Structure formats: structure tokens, C-alpha cells
Amino acid sequence: EKQVVAGIAYSRDEAKISVRGIPDRPGIAAAIFGPLTAAHVNIDMIVQSTGTDGLTNMTFTVGCVDQARAVAVLEEQQDHIQYAELHTSRDVVKISVVGVGMRSHTGIANTMFRTLAERGINIQVISTSEIKISVLIDAEYTELAMRALHTAYGLDAR
Amino acid sequence: EKQVVAGIAYSRDEAKISVRGIPDRPGIAAAIFGPLTAAHVNIDMIVQSTGTDGLTNMTFTVGCVDQARAVAVLEEQQDHIQYAELHTSRDVVKISVVGVGMRSHTGIANTMFRTLAERGINIQVISTSEIKISVLIDAEYTELAMRALHTAYGLDAR
Ligand SMILES: C[C@@H](O)[C@H](N)C(=O)O
Ligand SMILES: C[C@@H](O)[C@H](N)C(=O)O
């Protein structure tokens, strides 16, 4: 069944910042984004899935120009946020598959994940909305992933 | 500064499914979504942030009608996916704040997180796209959260 995909986009201007081992209780997300807002850091993706044993991880991305400032803000706030580890990397690329009305984007997501798996590309972060699936992968796979995904969704001939 | 928010939406037809302690290596996302696609499960949100020590958690939501089938598919595939724990709950609500052109949605996100924190509401899952911020919270807070967010973004008078 032909999946209806409008296009595939990528962005290299993404610095990934992961805050790990944060308490999963009210107020922690505000303790992270309050200072970042005050420092005028432009956030792109924000991703947090469910935690385990009262702790969770949160990953977000900023434009590369804001990476150092964002990290400095978080390091100042470590006592207030109480994270165990802060990890950051610019070696990532965001790749987004945009569907056309994706209530059931299970099939579109499956094609994306299968295509990346077949080429041995590890998916670091996943975030979806109604019309889009975005992943963060290692930047060195940008061209390989983009070519493979265009083929997988039948976008080559265009 | 007045944040430009187009509206706030919520959906109670969400069953949260968390797969915890999955290996963070190529092919695992495909091992999860391949069988779910074959079982015609309609997925809404998919959220995975960066892992720790080679393991990560993935959370996704399905319409309540698909919850039992999705859980059965995952339980059959436990050896193949190698997750440590599967957790599911219908007691959640998805609340989404839709902005207008949100390159810098840091401020909009901050208002959302602060407003929920002030009322003691824990944020279980976060996922964003360019124009939208979605969170999963406990369903019992639906009315309180919607009212508080409408006030916070100045949408009351409309
Ligand atoms: C956890 C899962 O996303 C894994 N990293 C994969 O690429 O499939
Ligand atoms: C981890 C963080 O999202 C926390 N659960 C909060 O509500 O702020």
C-alpha cells in the first residue's frame, strides 16, 4: 500500500541536549525551561517519555548558536533541577517525514524505522505530531538516510 | 510579552503504552512498529528520548479501542524486542497548545510547564513540533489544566 508522504526534510542546525536522571515530579520541567527562556535560548524539539522509579530523561534541541549558552544555564541550575547527568552533541541531524493527513501514521513510521534499521542507523530520539515523524540520528548518516527514505516512500522519480 | 497561542486542545481517547529498558541499537524501533502495523493498530504519539547505558524507554499512544490489541502484540514480541517492562494506562489526557509560527516556542513551553507545575500537575510525556506542544498528564486534571492554561495564555475573554 503506497504511503502518502508529502516529503522528507532534514536539519543539521540541531544541538542535542539530554538531561538525565531528573525527578519525575511537578515543577521540574518548569525549573528547566524557566531559566532557558530567561536566557533567550531558542528551543526546537522537546522530548520526554515516561520514567522509571521516579526518574526520567528529557532531551531537547537548540540551534547550534545557542548550545553553549543552554548548557551553561543548565549547569548553573543543577541543584535546582537535580539532574544526574547532562549530555550534549552537535553530531546529530533531524530528519522529518511529513505525511498527508496521518491519523494512522503507524505504517509511515514503520517504513521509516525499518529503512533506517536496514542500514544499521541507530535512532537516538523520536518525536511525532499528527502530520510528521521526526528522528535524531548521527549526522554522518544524513545522505544515506535521506536517499534510503526517498526510495522507501517512492519519492525518487520526482 | 504576550505569547501568540492559537488555541488549546485535549484528547481523552489516548491509551499510553510505555516499553521500558529496550536496547538502544538499530532495528529495535522496527521490531516494535512492524508487528503493530501488521495488526493495524492506529498509533498517535511516539516519543523516545536519549537513553542511558545502552537502554532507553519509548512511549506511544493509541486510541483506547486499540489498547488491548497493541499490548497483546508487544507481549508476543517480548523476546524479539527485549524490553524489560511494559506499562499501559488509559488514565491520561493529551493536552496540546497550538502556537502561531513557533520557531521560538521556548516561552510558550515555559508558560505551559509553569502553569501545570503551579497546580501540582505532573507531566508524564512531552512531545513538540514546530507549531505545537503536547503533554500527557493524569486524566483527572483535564478540566483544571484546560482552565489554567486558557487563563495563562490570555484566551479567557474570547
Ligand atoms: C530504541 C530504538 O529507537 C533504537 N535506537 C533503534 O534504532 O531502533
Ligand atoms: C520530568 C518533568 O516533566 C516532571 N514530570 C514535571 O512535571 O515537571
Side-chain angles (χ1 to χ4, degrees):
Chain A
E1 145 241 352
K2 200 99 209 104
Q3 275 134 19
V4 195
V5 167
I8 306 170
Y10 75 93
S11 163
R12 280 296 320 270
D13 181 27
E14 307 271 343
K16 180 181 83 168
I17 298 175
S18 294
V19 197
R20 300 185 187 157
I22 55 178
D24 191 4
R25 58 158 197 272
I28 297 297
I32 293 171
F33 285 91
L36 289 171
T37 305
H40 302 289
V41 170
N42 267 356
I43 308 275
D44 182 19
M45 300 171 79
I46 307 172
V47 178
Q48 177 205 320
S49 69
T50 315
T52 316
D53 303 330
L55 295 177
T56 190
N57 299 340
M58 186 189 289
T59 300
F60 58 89
T61 63
V62 299
C64 290
V65 69
D66 284 349
Q67 180 186 21
R69 199 161 76 255
V71 169
V73 165
L74 292 171
E75 283 172 348
E76 268 166 45
Q77 298 289 330
Q78 178 160 17
D79 293 344
H80 192 46
I81 301 168
Q82 295 179 338
Y83 60 83
E85 254 183 89
L86 177 66
H87 181 265
T88 187
S89 167
R90 287 183 183 222
D91 298 330
V92 293
V93 62
K94 180 174 78 170
I95 293 189
S96 301
V97 170
V98 184
V100 183
M102 274 166 51
R103 173 61 200 170
S104 171
H105 55 202
T106 318
I108 292 177
N110 183 43
T111 298
M112 184 179 205
F113 300 154
R114 198 185 56 231
T115 305
L116 296 174
E118 284 165 1
R119 283 156 184 82
I121 299 173
N122 190 51
I123 301 166
Q124 298 178 23
V125 171
I126 303 172
S127 177
T128 65
S129 69
E130 276 70 16
I131 58 160
K132 188 158 70 171
I133 298 170
S134 296
V135 298
L136 287 185
I137 62 172
D138 193 304
E140 66 181 358
Y141 291 111
T142 303
E143 291 72 26
L144 173 62
M146 288 298 283
R147 259 202 311 279
L149 289 168
H150 273 86
T151 303
Y153 292 111
L155 297 176
D156 280 343
R158 294 191 197 170
Chain B
E1 144 239 350
K2 197 95 213 113
Q3 274 132 19
V4 195
V5 167
I8 304 170
Y10 75 93
S11 162
R12 280 296 317 275
D13 180 27
E14 307 269 345
K16 182 180 80 168
I17 298 174
S18 292
V19 199
R20 299 185 185 156
I22 54 178
D24 191 5
R25 56 160 198 268
I28 297 297
I32 293 171
F33 286 91
L36 289 171
T37 305
H40 303 291
V41 170
N42 266 358
I43 308 276
D44 182 19
M45 300 172 79
I46 307 172
V47 178
Q48 177 204 321
S49 67
T50 315
T52 316
D53 303 331
L55 297 176
T56 190
N57 299 338
M58 186 188 289
T59 300
F60 57 91
T61 62
V62 300
C64 291
V65 69
D66 284 349
Q67 181 186 22
R69 200 162 74 254
V71 169
V73 163
L74 292 170
E75 284 172 347
E76 268 165 43
Q77 298 287 331
Q78 178 160 17
D79 292 346
H80 192 47
I81 301 168
Q82 295 178 347
Y83 60 82
E85 249 185 277
L86 178 65
H87 182 264
T88 188
S89 166
R90 288 187 182 219
D91 299 330
V92 293
V93 61
K94 180 174 76 168
I95 294 188
S96 303
V97 170
V98 184
V100 183
M102 275 159 71
R103 173 59 202 172
S104 173
H105 55 204
T106 319
I108 291 176
N110 184 44
T111 299
M112 185 179 203
F113 300 154
R114 197 186 57 231
T115 303
L116 296 175
E118 283 166 2
R119 283 154 184 83
I121 300 173
N122 190 48
I123 301 167
Q124 296 178 24
V125 171
I126 303 172
S127 177
T128 64
S129 71
E130 277 70 17
I131 59 162
K132 188 160 73 169
I133 297 171
S134 296
V135 297
L136 285 186
I137 62 171
D138 193 305
E140 68 181 354
Y141 291 111
T142 304
E143 291 71 28
L144 173 61
M146 289 297 285
R147 259 202 312 278
L149 289 168
H150 272 88
T151 302
Y153 291 111
L155 297 177
D156 281 344
R158 293 190 198 173

